[in-house]
Protein backbone atom coordinates (compact mmCIF):
# COMPACT_ATOMS: atom_id res chain seq x y z
CA UNK A 1 0.00 0.00 0.00
CA UNK A 2 1.33 3.44 -0.96
CA UNK A 3 0.78 6.70 0.89
CA UNK A 4 -0.39 9.44 -1.44
CA UNK A 5 -0.94 13.04 -0.45
CA UNK A 6 -3.14 15.70 -1.99
CA UNK A 7 -1.90 19.28 -1.67
CA UNK A 8 -4.79 20.73 0.31
CA UNK A 9 -4.28 24.49 0.05
CA UNK A 10 -6.98 25.15 -2.56
CA UNK A 11 -9.05 23.33 -5.18
CA UNK A 12 -10.55 19.87 -5.74
CA UNK A 13 -9.01 18.03 -2.79
CA UNK A 14 -11.67 15.69 -1.39
CA UNK A 15 -12.46 14.02 -4.74
CA UNK A 16 -8.80 13.06 -5.11
CA UNK A 17 -8.68 11.71 -1.56
CA UNK A 18 -11.67 9.45 -2.34
CA UNK A 19 -10.10 8.28 -5.61
CA UNK A 20 -6.87 7.29 -3.80
CA UNK A 21 -8.84 5.39 -1.17
CA UNK A 22 -10.83 3.67 -3.90
CA UNK A 23 -7.62 2.33 -5.45
CA UNK A 24 -6.72 0.76 -2.08
CA UNK A 25 -4.03 3.22 -1.04
CA UNK A 26 -3.69 5.58 1.88
CA UNK A 27 -4.83 9.16 1.21
CA UNK A 28 -3.49 12.13 3.18
CA UNK A 29 -4.47 15.80 2.80
CA UNK A 30 -1.28 17.88 2.95
CA UNK A 31 -1.43 21.27 4.63
CA UNK A 32 2.15 21.65 5.95
CA UNK A 33 5.46 21.01 4.16
CA UNK A 34 6.67 18.61 6.91
CA UNK A 35 3.84 16.24 5.98
CA UNK A 36 5.46 15.56 2.59
CA UNK A 37 8.08 13.38 4.29
CA UNK A 38 5.72 10.44 4.79
CA UNK A 39 4.52 10.29 1.17
CA UNK A 40 5.28 8.05 -1.81
CA UNK A 41 3.40 10.35 -4.17
CA UNK A 42 1.61 13.70 -4.25
CA UNK A 43 -1.33 15.08 -6.20
CA UNK A 44 -1.43 18.74 -7.20
CA UNK A 45 -5.18 19.16 -7.71
CA UNK A 46 -7.24 21.34 -10.01
CA UNK A 47 -8.32 24.74 -8.80
CA UNK A 48 -6.88 28.13 -9.69
CA UNK A 49 -3.18 27.96 -10.41
CA UNK A 50 -2.50 31.61 -9.56
CA UNK A 51 -4.21 31.28 -6.17
CA UNK A 52 -2.58 27.92 -5.48
CA UNK A 53 0.83 29.36 -6.28
CA UNK A 54 0.21 32.21 -3.80
CA UNK A 55 -0.64 29.70 -1.06
CA UNK A 56 2.34 27.51 -1.98
CA UNK A 57 4.59 30.51 -1.42
CA UNK A 58 2.78 31.75 1.66
CA UNK A 59 2.96 28.36 3.40
CA UNK A 60 6.61 27.74 2.41
CA UNK A 61 5.96 24.81 0.09
CA UNK A 62 8.11 25.98 -2.84
CA UNK A 63 11.46 24.49 -1.74
CA UNK A 64 9.93 21.33 -0.24
CA UNK A 65 7.94 20.65 -3.44
CA UNK A 66 11.11 20.95 -5.53
CA UNK A 67 12.92 18.61 -3.14
CA UNK A 68 9.99 16.18 -3.40
CA UNK A 69 10.14 16.14 -7.22
CA UNK A 70 13.95 15.87 -7.17
CA UNK A 71 13.79 12.90 -4.81
CA UNK A 72 12.03 10.98 -7.59
CA UNK A 73 8.75 10.57 -5.75
CA UNK A 74 5.65 10.75 -7.92
CA UNK A 75 3.71 13.93 -8.64
CA UNK A 76 0.33 13.84 -10.41
CA UNK A 77 -0.80 17.31 -11.53
CA UNK A 78 -4.38 17.72 -12.70
CA UNK A 79 -5.55 20.87 -14.49
CA UNK A 80 -4.16 23.75 -12.35
CA UNK A 81 -1.60 21.17 -11.16
CA UNK A 82 -0.53 20.70 -14.79
CA UNK A 83 -0.02 24.47 -15.10
CA UNK A 84 2.07 24.63 -11.91
CA UNK A 85 4.26 21.63 -12.88
CA UNK A 86 5.21 23.08 -16.29
CA UNK A 87 8.68 24.24 -17.28
CA UNK A 88 7.07 27.26 -18.96
CA UNK A 89 3.63 28.87 -19.12
CA UNK A 90 2.52 30.56 -22.32
CA UNK A 91 1.68 33.87 -20.63
CA UNK A 92 5.28 34.21 -19.48
CA UNK A 93 4.80 32.95 -15.92
CA UNK A 94 7.24 30.28 -14.86
CA UNK A 95 6.13 26.91 -13.67
CA UNK A 96 7.88 24.80 -11.06
CA UNK A 97 9.63 22.85 -13.86
CA UNK A 98 8.75 19.38 -12.58
CA UNK A 99 8.50 18.22 -16.20
CA UNK A 100 9.59 19.65 -19.54
CA UNK A 101 6.60 21.19 -21.33
CA UNK A 102 4.89 24.51 -21.95
CA UNK A 103 1.36 24.91 -20.54
CA UNK A 104 -1.26 27.15 -22.12
CA UNK A 105 -3.61 28.35 -19.36
CA UNK A 106 -7.34 28.31 -20.16
CA UNK A 107 -6.21 27.01 -23.54
CA UNK A 108 -9.58 25.84 -24.86
CA UNK A 109 -11.01 29.35 -24.89
CA UNK A 110 -14.35 30.83 -23.88
CA UNK A 111 -16.66 28.62 -25.94
CA UNK A 112 -15.19 25.56 -24.32
CA UNK A 113 -15.09 26.58 -20.65
CA UNK A 114 -16.19 23.07 -19.65
CA UNK A 115 -16.73 19.98 -21.74
CA UNK A 116 -16.49 16.21 -21.59
CA UNK A 117 -15.04 13.85 -24.15
CA UNK A 118 -14.36 10.15 -24.49
CA UNK A 119 -10.60 10.19 -24.79
CA UNK A 120 -8.62 7.45 -26.34
CA UNK A 121 -5.55 6.81 -24.16
CA UNK A 122 -3.64 3.87 -25.63
CA UNK A 123 -1.63 3.39 -22.42
CA UNK A 124 -4.89 2.61 -20.56
CA UNK A 125 -6.24 0.07 -23.05
CA UNK A 126 -9.11 0.16 -25.51
CA UNK A 127 -11.92 1.50 -23.35
CA UNK A 128 -12.08 5.30 -23.73
CA UNK A 129 -11.55 7.49 -20.69
CA UNK A 130 -14.38 9.94 -19.96
CA UNK A 131 -12.45 13.17 -19.48
CA UNK A 132 -13.98 16.24 -17.82
CA UNK A 133 -12.38 19.57 -18.71
CA UNK A 134 -13.05 22.73 -16.67
CA UNK A 135 -11.34 25.92 -17.86
CA UNK A 136 -8.63 23.54 -18.84
CA UNK A 137 -5.09 24.19 -19.95
CA UNK A 138 -3.31 22.21 -22.65
CA UNK A 139 0.32 21.44 -23.38
CA UNK A 140 1.79 23.00 -26.49
CA UNK A 141 5.42 21.94 -26.50
CA UNK A 142 7.12 18.99 -24.88
CA UNK A 143 10.76 18.11 -24.27
CA UNK A 144 12.36 14.92 -25.53
CA UNK A 145 11.80 12.88 -22.38
CA UNK A 146 8.04 13.47 -22.29
CA UNK A 147 5.55 10.79 -23.39
CA UNK A 148 2.33 12.23 -24.78
CA UNK A 149 -0.61 10.12 -23.54
CA UNK A 150 -3.62 11.89 -25.07
CA UNK A 151 -4.75 14.75 -27.29
CA UNK A 152 -8.00 16.65 -27.95
CA UNK A 153 -8.25 18.49 -31.29
CA UNK A 154 -4.51 17.92 -31.67
CA UNK A 155 -3.78 19.56 -28.31
CA UNK A 156 -1.86 17.54 -25.72
CA UNK A 157 -3.99 16.92 -22.63
CA UNK A 158 -2.10 14.16 -20.80
CA UNK A 159 1.63 13.52 -20.53
CA UNK A 160 4.19 11.62 -18.50
CA UNK A 161 7.88 12.25 -17.79
CA UNK A 162 9.70 10.00 -15.32
CA UNK A 163 8.01 10.48 -11.93
CA UNK A 164 5.61 13.17 -13.18
CA UNK A 165 2.13 12.62 -14.66
CA UNK A 166 -0.11 15.50 -15.73
CA UNK A 167 -3.62 15.76 -17.15
CA UNK A 168 -5.49 18.85 -18.33
CA UNK A 169 -8.76 17.21 -17.23
CA UNK A 170 -10.16 15.97 -13.91
CA UNK A 171 -9.94 12.17 -13.51
CA UNK A 172 -11.06 12.52 -9.88
CA UNK A 173 -14.53 13.64 -11.04
CA UNK A 174 -15.24 10.23 -12.59
CA UNK A 175 -15.29 6.70 -11.18
CA UNK A 176 -12.52 5.59 -13.54
CA UNK A 177 -9.42 4.80 -11.48
CA UNK A 178 -7.19 3.85 -14.43
CA UNK A 179 -5.13 7.05 -14.42
CA UNK A 180 -4.56 6.79 -10.67
CA UNK A 181 -3.49 3.17 -11.20
CA UNK A 182 -1.19 4.33 -14.02
CA UNK A 183 0.32 6.98 -11.71
CA UNK A 184 0.99 4.44 -8.98
CA UNK A 185 2.48 1.91 -11.40
CA UNK A 186 4.66 4.24 -13.48
CA UNK A 187 5.52 7.25 -11.31
CA UNK A 188 5.93 5.68 -7.87
CA UNK A 189 8.69 3.17 -7.24
N1 LIG B 1 -7.82 27.56 -15.48
C1 LIG B 1 -7.31 27.20 -14.21
C2 LIG B 1 -5.90 27.70 -13.99
O1 LIG B 1 -5.17 27.93 -14.91
C3 LIG B 1 -7.33 25.71 -14.00
C4 LIG B 1 -8.75 25.22 -13.92
C5 LIG B 1 -8.90 23.94 -13.17
O2 LIG B 1 -7.99 23.49 -12.44
N2 LIG B 1 -10.06 23.36 -13.28
O3 LIG B 1 -5.52 27.83 -12.86
Amino acid sequence: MKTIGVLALQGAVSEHLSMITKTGHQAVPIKHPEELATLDGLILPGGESTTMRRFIEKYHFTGPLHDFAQSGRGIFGTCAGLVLSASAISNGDTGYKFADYTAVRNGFGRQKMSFEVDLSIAALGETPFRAIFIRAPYIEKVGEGVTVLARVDGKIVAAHENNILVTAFHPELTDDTRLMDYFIRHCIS
Side-chain angles (χ1 to χ4, degrees):
M1 190 201 260
K2 303 290 183 190
T3 305
I4 300 173
V6 181
L7 189 67
L9 301 177
Q10 196 258 340
V13 175
S14 59
E15 296 87 346
H16 273 298
L17 293 168
S18 325
M19 172 74 78
I20 295 163
T21 311
K22 207 188 299 171
T23 56
H25 297 275
Q26 196 190 350
V28 192
I30 300 296
K31 294 209 158 98
H32 305 283
E34 313 81 79
E35 294 160 348
L36 293 171
T38 60
L39 303 180
D40 300 303
L42 176 69
I43 293 177
L44 301 179
E48 193 53 50
S49 57
T50 46
T51 310
M52 217 179 294
R53 184 199 298 273
R54 263 208 310 280
F55 285 131
I56 285 172
E57 277 153 30
K58 181 167 175 197
Y59 295 106
H60 311 291
F61 265 102
T62 313
L65 284 179
H66 279 104
D67 295 344
F68 191 91
Q70 284 290 320
S71 74
R73 286 176 288 165
I75 294 182
F76 185 1
T78 58
C79 204
L82 174 151
V83 175
L84 291 173
S85 301
S87 48
I89 303 171
S90 59
N91 65 3
D93 284 353
T94 42
Y96 292 127
K97 300 186 167 53
F98 298 148
D100 189 9
Y101 61 83
T102 301
V104 182
R105 276 192 75 203
N106 304 320
F108 286 94
R110 289 191 152 269
Q111 303 81 359
K112 280 196 163 184
M113 291 286 273
S114 317
F115 60 99
E116 296 188 24
V117 287
D118 284 323
L119 262 190
S120 135
I121 306 181
L124 301 184
E126 293 218 332
T127 312
F129 193 98
R130 187 76 181 161
I132 302 174
F133 293 79
I134 304 167
R135 290 177 297 110
Y138 68 84
I139 291 176
E140 73 172 350
K141 217 161 57 187
V142 298
E144 267 179 20
V146 176
T147 303
V148 172
L149 297 175
R151 296 177 195 259
V152 168
D153 299 341
K155 297 174 167 127
I156 301 168
V157 294
H160 171 202
E161 184 178 34
N162 300 321
N163 54 324
I164 312 296
L165 175 67
V166 289
T167 63
F169 49 92
H170 289 265
E172 79 285 5
L173 298 182
T174 67
D175 288 332
D176 194 332
T177 59
R178 285 179 295 162
L179 271 168
M180 184 63 74
D181 292 330
Y182 180 97
F183 173 61
I184 290 160
R185 201 156 355 105
H186 295 279
C187 302
I188 295 180
S189 47

